[in-house]
Structures are given as structure tokens and as C-alpha cells.
Amino acid sequence: EAQVTQNPRYLITVTGKKLTVTCSQNMNHEYMSWYRQDPGLGLRQIYYSMNVEVTDKGDVPEGYKVSRKEKRNFPLILESPSPNQTSLYFCASSTLGTKKAKTQYFGPGTRLLVL
Amino acid sequence: KQEVTQIPAALSVPEGENLVLNCSFTDSAIYNLQWFRQDPGKGLTSLLLIQSSQREQTSGRLNASLDKSSGRSTLYIAASQPGDSATYLCAVEEAGTALIFGKGTTLSVSS
């Protein structure tokens, strides 16, 4: 089954304690991305990757890091989480192609609470 | 900067009613527009994707239209059912691949 998986699904942590949220896709997609969803603000892109070892900032990258060492995995790293990073996080993937319609597939989400 | 607006923010209808959700965007230079469904506490499920060269797409009881020149899209849901209750998100894709999302319309269908 084609899918995007994220782990953990729920996470409670404390300020400053480094954490990693994993994302994996089994569709051989080149493009992967992280979004956060906040009430009243909607979904905003944090980082994205066009392929292995190619990453770039989205709209709200501050406080986050990513890496793309393998095509299927795109972990989101919070080196020193703060309460304003409490949010619902989504990983997404799709094929690449400048003018080809490409459906983006989303993971189930990770709900993070930073105390 | 692209902005996506969805109206109304919330909508309540009785079962069986046909309904229309609206989405508008400020910059017509888009590659495609995608409608998603989000259930409470769940991820996003893609419903329909309309390429910039297309006018509409249909899937079952759903029909999405796109008028790029006016910056509008509509999602038509026929014969609504309680199972259609969810938040519906509209997103446009510009150059590159980032999706710009609207804030969504929360639909409640009562039986």
C-alpha cells in the first residue's frame, strides 16, 4: 500500500530537549516536505527536499532542521524545542515534474506538545 | 505573495443537500489546485487535483472546477451524507512544489 508514515504520532516533551520526528514514504517520490498546522494559521511549509542531499527552507524554517540521506526518509529535527513549536506536523511526498500534475500524499500527522 | 481564501469557514447542512465550497487565490500563475479532506485528528486525504490547463475534475459525488483567470475554484458535493462531515482544504501549487493552503471549510452534515 502506497503510504507516508510518521513517527511518533503523539509526543510530549520539555523545552530544550532535542527530538526527531521521522517520515518515510514507499512510493519512490523525489519530493518530500514538512508542514505545520496551527489553529487560525492553516498549514505552512517548514522545509522541503527535491531529492537526496537537496533540501531548502519553506515559509517557517526557524528552529527546525532536516536531512535527506535516503530517498525514502526525511526526518524533522528540533534541536532545542520551544513551546511555540507546539503544533500538528505533517510530512508529504510527491513525484517531481515542473508542469506535470502531481498529487501530494500526506502522512497521518504528529501532534507535538512542548512544555 | 499568493494567498488562498476559503469561504465559508464553516457550513452546516441537512443530509441530502447539494452544496458548494469556495476557494479563491490571488495569483493566477499556478500549476495546479488540489482539494483535500481532513478528519479530526487525522491526516489529509487528496480528493481532486485540477491541472492549470483543466476546467474541472470529477470523482463520484464530488466535482471541482477551476477558473484560473478569476482566481476561483469550487468544490461541489452532491447529495451530502453525514460521512462527508470533515474539514475541506484547498491548496494551490506554484513554481516548485510548495502547496499554499487555505484555512479550510468545516462541513457538518446532519442526519
Side-chain angles (χ1 to χ4, degrees):
Chain A
E1 180 191 352
Q3 61 182 348
V4 179
T5 57
Q6 295 178 226
N7 282 293
R9 295 289 314 280
Y10 304 91
L11 180 59
I12 301 174
T13 190
V14 295
T15 299
K17 186 175 181 182
K18 180 180 178 179
L19 66 92
T20 299
V21 184
T22 64
C23 173
S24 182
Q25 49 93 5
N26 63 0
M27 295 168 278
N28 202 36
H29 285 163
E30 297 88 357
Y31 179 86
M32 296 186 74
S33 176
W34 278 101
Y35 293 85
R36 62 178 288 175
Q37 186 177 33
D38 302 288
L41 297 176
L43 279 130
R44 295 173 293 168
Q45 191 182 52
I46 303 170
Y47 267 95
Y48 65 94
S49 168
M50 296 287 203
N51 215 324
V52 176
E53 301 292 1
V54 180
T55 64
D56 209 343
K57 297 177 181 179
D59 291 330
V60 288
E62 295 78 21
Y64 303 95
K65 284 176 57 177
V66 292
S67 69
R68 188 92 181 271
K69 292 183 170 49
E70 304 166 284
K71 196 172 185 180
R72 63 182 293 126
N73 296 324
F74 189 46
L76 179 69
I77 303 156
L78 284 70
E79 295 266 359
S80 182
S82 63
N84 64 13
Q85 293 179 296
T86 292
S87 188
L88 179 57
Y89 292 87
F90 289 103
C91 179
S93 74
S94 76
T95 57
L96 262 184
T98 52
K99 295 198 174 178
K100 185 174 67 174
K102 39 197 186 297
T103 299
Q104 292 211 17
Y105 296 86
F106 280 74
T110 294
R111 190 168 292 280
L112 172 64
L113 172 62
V114 183
L115 301 173
Chain B
K1 185 179 176 183
Q2 179 77 263
E3 290 184 8
V4 179
T5 303
Q6 291 186 245
I7 294 173
L11 181 63
S12 293
V13 300
E15 182 177 6
E17 192 162 299
N18 302 326
L19 59 101
V20 174
L21 307 181
N22 296 292
C23 172
S24 62
F25 47 95
T26 55
D27 187 341
S28 62
I30 64 170
Y31 281 172
N32 60 57
L33 183 144
Q34 203 165 348
W35 282 93
F36 293 88
R37 169 184 172 139
Q38 184 176 22
D39 294 281
K42 301 283 181 63
L44 280 69
T45 302
S46 179
L47 298 173
L48 291 164
L49 183 148
I50 312 175
Q51 296 182 54
S52 61
S53 58
Q54 297 176 322
R55 297 284 291 185
E56 66 178 335
Q57 284 285 340
T58 298
S59 175
R61 294 182 293 107
L62 305 180
N63 175 277
S65 68
L66 174 64
D67 183 343
K68 216 173 74 156
S69 60
S70 69
R72 295 177 191 273
S73 175
T74 61
L75 178 66
Y76 175 83
I77 302 177
S80 58
Q81 304 170 356
D84 294 330
S85 299
T87 296
Y88 291 82
L89 296 164
C90 166
V92 300
E93 180 185 337
E94 299 180 309
T97 319
L99 290 176
I100 313 297
F101 283 86
K103 292 186 171 64
T105 294
T106 299
L107 173 65
S108 176
V109 182
S110 56
S111 56

